[in-house]
């Protein structure tokens, strides 16, 4: 079994022969030999872990475009955030709100969220799903010149496929919108919609339809992540992958104190093929270094970042 698990290039072909790749292979070999399939649970953050999150998280662009439409329709909204930043194309404020959140300052994020929650109020879940999927398939990343759905990291898709082939059940636990990502999770990652855990607005039943409200149901980030994972799965993941400070509780909770898990932090250090940044991720990177987690370098560990267009 070990020989087949570690053979190259059939396994993880976009991963270079580095210690990070070897540790993943060794962990999976041990799991296959000693952990029953029902306990082989892997969880992944999404933004910045499975697909590109710069210059703005993908869903932020989707929602902010809608906010822009509302600002055009109601000019008085342009005097307050996030309508003002959208109207003025102030990407520094918009992107900064997310970064400041990961640094512990939620003032701008709360202001942004108050506006974003209004974006699809009254829209049915089916209408929203159609709009979201259309955006992800046809909407283009502003600098990578490829549809948003094609900004998934090829090495991570290979890792998911490899884990599934070895009896793992893979879940996504994202701070982004659950219903937004569900529309493409199977196509992009091979992870079915019912294995996506994420943030959500409150939904209501109105006259035979399920509709979005302007109220937040749950923000699936930080301490909420491991709680939501347990509530949804009822098992502790033995492998967890993230990239930002908000993923630390999920990473630390992996294993549940019963098993030694594999914790992986994706490090964005490739300015040529993607983006190089540590803002909002310094604590996660420091933990990976101090506690001997697997710190995956995009520049050093991956022979390619994105799949073919």
């Amino acid at each position: 079994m070990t020989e087949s698990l570690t053979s190259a290039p059939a396994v993880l072909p976009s991963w270079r022969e580095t210690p990070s790749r070897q540790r993943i292979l060794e962990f999976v070999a041990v799991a296959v030999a000693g952990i029953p399939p029902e306990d082989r649970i892997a969880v992944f953050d999404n933004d910045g872990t499975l697909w590109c999150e710069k210059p703005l998280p993908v869903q932020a662009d989707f929602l902010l475009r809608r906010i822009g439409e509302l600002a055009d329709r109601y000019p008085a909204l342009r005097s307050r955030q996030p309508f003002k930043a959208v109207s003025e194309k102030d990407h520094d404020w918009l992107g900064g709100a997310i970064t400041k959140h990961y640094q512990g300052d939620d003032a701008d994020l709360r202001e942004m969220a108050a506006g974003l929650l209004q974006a699809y109020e009254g829209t049915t879940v089916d209408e929203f799903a159609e709009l979201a999927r259309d955006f992800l398939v046809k909407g283009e990343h502003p600098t990578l010149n490829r549809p948003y759905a094609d900004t998934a990291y090829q090495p991570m898709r290979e890792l998911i496929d490899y884990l599934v082939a070895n009896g793992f059940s893979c879940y996504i636990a994202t701070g982004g919108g659950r219903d937004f990502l569900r529309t493409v999770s199977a196509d992009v990652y091979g992870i079915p919609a019912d294995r996506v855990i994420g943030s959500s607005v409150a939904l209501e039943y109105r006259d035979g339809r399920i509709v979005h409200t302007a109220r937040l149901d749950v923000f699936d980030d930080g301490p909420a992540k491991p709680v939501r994972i347990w509530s949804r799965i009822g098992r502790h993941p033995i492998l967890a992958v993230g990239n930002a400070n908000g993923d630390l509780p999920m990473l630390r909770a992996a294993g549940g104190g019963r098993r030694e898990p594999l914790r992986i932090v994706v490090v964005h250090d490739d300015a040529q093929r993607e983006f190089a940044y540590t803002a909002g991720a310094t604590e996660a990177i420091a933990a990976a270094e101090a506690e001997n987690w697997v710190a995956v370098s995009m520049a050093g560990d991956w022979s390619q970042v994105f799949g073919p267009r």
Side-chain angles (χ1 to χ4, degrees):
M1 177 65 76
T2 301
E3 181 178 353
S4 66
L5 287 167
T6 58
S7 61
V11 172
L12 306 182
S14 297
W15 293 70
R16 295 191 174 107
E17 295 284 347
T18 64
S20 294
R21 180 180 183 274
Q22 189 59 34
R23 284 187 63 184
I24 291 170
L25 297 176
E26 290 172 355
F27 179 83
V28 172
V30 169
V32 168
I35 299 176
E38 61 268 23
D39 288 333
R40 294 180 211 160
I41 305 294
V43 294
F44 296 79
D45 169 57
N46 185 53
D47 292 309
T49 297
L50 294 180
W51 71 18
C52 182
E53 66 176 351
K54 294 294 183 180
L56 281 175
V58 177
Q59 189 173 5
D61 189 13
F62 171 69
L63 294 172
L64 290 168
R65 291 188 193 196
R66 177 75 163 200
I67 290 296
E69 294 172 4
L70 293 175
D72 289 340
R73 194 181 311 166
Y74 306 106
L77 293 173
R78 296 176 188 169
S79 63
R80 72 175 201 259
Q81 298 289 20
F83 303 93
K84 183 175 185 293
V86 172
S87 298
E88 297 174 356
K89 297 184 176 5
D90 184 357
H91 292 123
D92 288 341
W93 187 91
L94 295 166
I98 305 296
T99 298
K100 287 167 70 175
H101 159 69
Y102 286 128
Q103 295 171 335
D105 181 356
D106 281 345
D108 287 349
L109 184 65
R110 283 193 293 268
E111 198 168 6
M112 179 189 285
L116 296 181
L117 287 169
Q118 301 175 44
Y120 286 94
E121 183 179 12
T123 304
T124 71
V125 291
D126 297 304
E127 292 166 344
F128 178 84
E130 184 176 351
L131 291 167
R133 182 174 177 80
D134 188 68
F135 171 82
L136 287 165
V137 172
K138 298 178 182 177
E140 189 167 281
H141 187 279
T143 63
L144 296 175
N145 300 317
R146 57 173 61 223
Y148 274 122
D150 289 342
T151 66
Y153 303 135
Q154 179 66 19
M156 298 306 289
R157 176 59 199 262
E158 292 170 3
L159 176 57
I160 291 169
D161 289 344
Y162 175 58
L163 292 171
V164 170
N166 284 283
F168 280 73
S169 298
C170 294
Y171 291 79
I172 296 174
T174 175
R178 174 199 64 201
D179 294 344
F180 180 75
L181 184 56
R182 278 178 171 176
T183 63
V184 295
S185 63
D187 292 339
V188 174
Y189 304 126
I191 295 178
D194 60 359
R195 290 188 178 176
V196 176
I197 306 165
S199 300
S200 60
V201 299
L203 303 174
E204 287 184 358
Y205 175 80
R206 300 176 186 170
D207 300 322
R209 307 188 309 165
I210 303 171
V211 301
H212 284 234
T213 72
R215 304 189 311 276
L216 182 66
D217 177 30
V218 63
F219 183 36
D220 190 30
D221 194 55
K225 276 198 173 186
V227 173
R228 296 273 288 168
I229 290 167
W230 173 260
S231 297
R232 179 65 177 277
I233 305 173
R235 295 180 185 276
H236 294 292
I238 63 168
L239 187 153
V241 192
N243 77 295
N245 298 340
D247 299 320
L248 273 173
M250 174 183 76
L251 292 162
R252 293 196 187 282
R258 296 169 52 242
R259 290 190 172 97
E260 183 60 32
L262 184 67
R263 301 179 174 98
I264 300 174
V265 174
V266 177
V267 180
H268 293 264
D269 57 0
D270 194 331
Q272 290 189 325
R273 298 183 298 178
E274 202 240 11
F275 297 90
Y277 59 96
T278 58
T282 53
E283 294 177 24
I285 295 170
E289 294 174 351
E291 301 177 38
N292 196 31
W293 301 351
V294 176
V296 170
S297 161
M298 280 192 170
D301 287 317
W302 293 353
S303 62
Q304 66 176 14
V305 174
F306 303 108
R309 298 182 189 180

